[in-house]
Amino acid sequence: MRWIDGLEGAAGERLPEAVHRYFRQGSAAGVSVGEAVAAWSAYRFRPRVLNDVSSIDLKTTVLGVPVDAPILVAPSTMQRMADPEGELAMARGVSAAGSVLGVSSNAGTKFAELGTTGVPWWLQIYVVRNREITRQMLDAAVEAGARAIVLTVDTPVVGRKEDDGPTVWDLVQPGQLLANLPVGEWTNDDLAKADDLNPDVIGWLAERTGLPVVVKGVLRGDDAKRCADAGAGGIIVSNHGGRQLDGSIPTAQALPEVAEALAGSGVELYVDGGIRRGEHILTALALGARAVFVGRPALWALTVESAPGVTRLLTDLAEELAHALRLSGHSSPSSLTPDLITSITNL
């Protein structure tokens, strides 16, 4: 069995059941989270032959940041429940793999501490109702060296989770999340997700920070075009790991339409959700993604082997991608085109 395939089970042996459930669960009936992996595996390849694949080069850039492979780590919360050092351990693992780390605005680690690891990192931000909280968090991230802002747009409210028994919220301890919440007497209403956003928020974030803005949570071509027109530097095709509107289409199905909408725009395209194999990454890159993000697998790796586990996860996936590239008749992701992929089969 692949090491990656055993990670979730191994993590489950180490985590309290409520935490393990929180990491793995989707919203409502779990339809979207259940379809994610199968949607990538349903694509088929049309490999080329008699091409020189003696040397494979996975290196690329994301928003100008060099990475060793087009495999990045998605922002996620509660990392200190997976490892006592939380985001610091995750950052060290990502840095050792030559990748980029997405950092949740709910992180349990101060932004300033991340700089000690040398990892290039992007801040994922939820714009909240009290914009002063968001402004101060953005300013702190810029001061600490964030390279981009990832605006999550699929969360006007948090998706309903159907828990049975104790939840992660019964176990969370002070300091395990919201380490970067500005000092103040904030109410729950202040911290609630803003539900009045429009594309103008993209320009506001860019102006406030001077950083490129990547919009996360797009599943439609027309929405991607609206974001691009508003100044987005990147788009992440994402359904929030199946944790928001249950029944949302798999990202594997959404990616081609979004890629077509962004063609020629210069906006960089990324995708997350259900990516577990080098062949999945090959599919995503051929369909137009510049890089992919992995979320849950990074949490499982962090739980099981801390920073070295995160590094191993990323390097194992990179090795699988290199193998799949060679078999597809390509020597680098830059040569991939959609004609490598044939139509998706039924799930």
Side-chain angles (χ1 to χ4, degrees):
M1 183 173 70
R2 297 159 70 236
W3 178 75
I4 294 170
D5 292 336
L7 279 177
E8 181 177 346
E13 296 174 358
R14 292 164 170 79
L15 293 169
E17 195 281 329
V19 177
H20 188 225
R21 181 181 353 116
Y22 178 80
F23 285 164
R24 73 178 187 270
Q25 73 186 149
S27 61
V31 172
S32 291
V33 72
E35 291 178 343
V37 176
W40 290 109
S41 297
Y43 280 109
R44 296 294 178 264
F45 301 113
R46 301 171 61 241
R48 295 184 179 276
V49 297
L50 296 178
N51 285 339
D52 183 356
V53 291
S54 57
S55 178
I56 302 294
D57 183 8
L58 297 183
K59 289 183 171 61
T60 187
T61 61
V62 289
L63 296 178
V65 178
V67 291
D68 287 352
I71 309 166
L72 320 177
V73 171
S76 59
T77 190
M78 300 291 188
Q79 292 185 22
R80 287 192 179 275
M81 301 191 103
D83 182 280
E85 290 191 294
E87 291 83 5
L88 277 178
M90 185 75 83
R92 285 195 294 270
V94 172
S95 180
S99 186
V100 164
L101 174 64
V103 176
S104 170
S105 55
N106 294 327
T109 301
K110 289 283 191 182
F111 297 148
E113 295 181 59
L114 293 171
T116 65
T117 68
V119 73
W121 62 280
W122 298 355
L123 170 67
Q124 174 274 328
I125 195 77
Y126 292 109
V127 176
V128 296
R129 290 181 184 173
N130 188 328
R131 298 296 198 271
E132 182 58 27
I133 295 172
T134 301
R135 282 190 286 267
Q136 291 190 40
M137 192 171 287
L138 291 168
D139 292 348
V142 170
E143 184 177 355
R147 304 285 191 93
I149 303 300
V150 178
L151 170 66
T152 297
V153 294
D154 59 3
T155 314
V157 294
V158 176
R160 186 182 80 256
K161 310 301 187 297
E162 298 179 354
D163 285 304
D164 182 15
T167 73
V168 70
W169 305 108
D170 298 315
L171 303 177
V172 67
Q173 299 296 313
Q176 290 184 322
L177 76 164
L178 290 175
N180 298 284
L181 181 68
V183 176
E185 297 294 327
W186 311 118
T187 67
N188 287 337
D189 189 63
D190 288 327
L191 294 168
K193 309 292 191 291
D195 56 6
D196 60 348
L197 300 182
N198 63 49
D200 292 345
V201 70
I202 296 170
W204 176 71
L205 289 169
E207 182 178 1
R208 180 78 188 186
T209 64
L211 297 174
V213 177
V214 180
V215 181
K216 177 179 181 288
V218 176
L219 294 171
R220 297 170 56 103
D222 51 4
D223 277 345
K225 183 67 165 55
R226 291 169 68 217
C227 293
D229 291 345
I235 300 290
I236 304 176
V237 174
S238 175
N239 66 12
H240 214 114
R243 295 171 71 86
Q244 283 303 105
L245 177 62
D246 195 28
S248 293
I249 64 171
T251 55
Q253 291 185 5
L255 180 59
E257 178 185 323
V258 175
E260 182 179 3
L262 294 178
S265 68
V267 175
E268 295 192 359
L269 181 58
Y270 314 102
V271 65
D272 67 19
I275 292 169
R276 300 292 185 269
R277 292 182 165 273
E279 292 82 3
H280 298 166
I281 302 168
L282 179 67
T283 300
L285 300 179
L287 291 176
R290 187 174 187 89
V292 304
F293 282 87
V294 292
R296 288 183 178 92
L299 284 173
W300 306 139
L302 180 69
T303 302
V304 174
E305 291 189 13
S306 193
V310 175
T311 303
R312 180 177 177 182
L313 170 75
L314 296 174
T315 54
D316 280 5
L317 287 173
E319 289 173 2
E320 289 188 4
L321 172 60
H323 182 76
L325 268 173
R326 198 170 252 122
L327 288 174
S328 75
H330 293 268
S331 60
S332 75
S334 63
S335 69
L336 293 171
T337 51
D339 64 356
L340 174 64
I341 308 297
T342 193
S343 59
I344 195 166
T345 60
N346 292 329
L347 291 177

